[in-house]
Amino acid sequence: MSTTIRSIKSLVPLLDRVLVQRIKAQAKTQSGIYLPESSVKELNEAKVLAVGPGGIDKEGKRVPMGVAAGDRVLIPQYGGSPVKVGEEEYQLFRDSEILAKINE
């Protein structure tokens, strides 16, 4: 059974989930040399597209999220739940699985 999602904006994470899209590695060096696809690796860097409202602790209080939409984050190489919308690929992680927030 497959689900068709028409737009990524219609996907709203629940609880402490974070929807991210990996940032693609550059296929061209700073000096202008194009790299073959086999040598370009996936980056562990992603952009946060949407976040859930936060988990609930033992006392029933909402735990605030550590990241917000628009943040750049460091994510694990493996893990997360893949979501495909058209040709684009996204991933859902728990807030606690996000490794770091990248401040510019």
Side-chain angles (χ1 to χ4, degrees):
M1 179 178 219
S2 77
T3 304
T4 304
I5 300 173
R6 296 174 194 229
S7 168
I8 196 64
K9 293 182 181 187
S10 65
L11 188 63
V12 179
L14 299 176
L15 296 174
D16 64 340
R17 302 295 197 287
V18 179
L19 179 67
V20 301
Q21 183 175 28
R22 281 187 190 268
I23 296 175
K24 295 184 180 13
Q26 295 290 333
K28 185 171 136 180
T29 64
Q30 289 181 346
S31 60
I33 299 172
Y34 286 93
L35 302 171
E37 284 185 32
S38 60
S39 69
V40 177
K41 296 182 179 178
E42 277 192 345
L43 295 177
N44 287 4
E45 189 177 322
K47 181 178 180 182
V48 176
L49 301 176
V51 296
I56 297 174
D57 65 11
K58 293 179 183 178
E59 288 84 38
K61 295 179 184 172
R62 183 81 56 191
V63 177
M65 297 293 282
V67 295
D71 286 348
R72 284 181 38 214
V73 295
L74 191 63
I75 57 174
Q77 182 70 31
Y78 302 103
S81 299
V83 177
K84 192 166 184 175
V85 178
E87 296 298 314
E88 296 292 322
E89 291 197 19
Y90 305 92
Q91 288 182 303
L92 278 167
F93 285 95
R94 288 187 178 274
D95 188 42
S96 60
E97 293 174 333
I98 301 293
L99 302 175
K101 185 173 167 181
I102 301 171
N103 293 326
E104 295 181 43

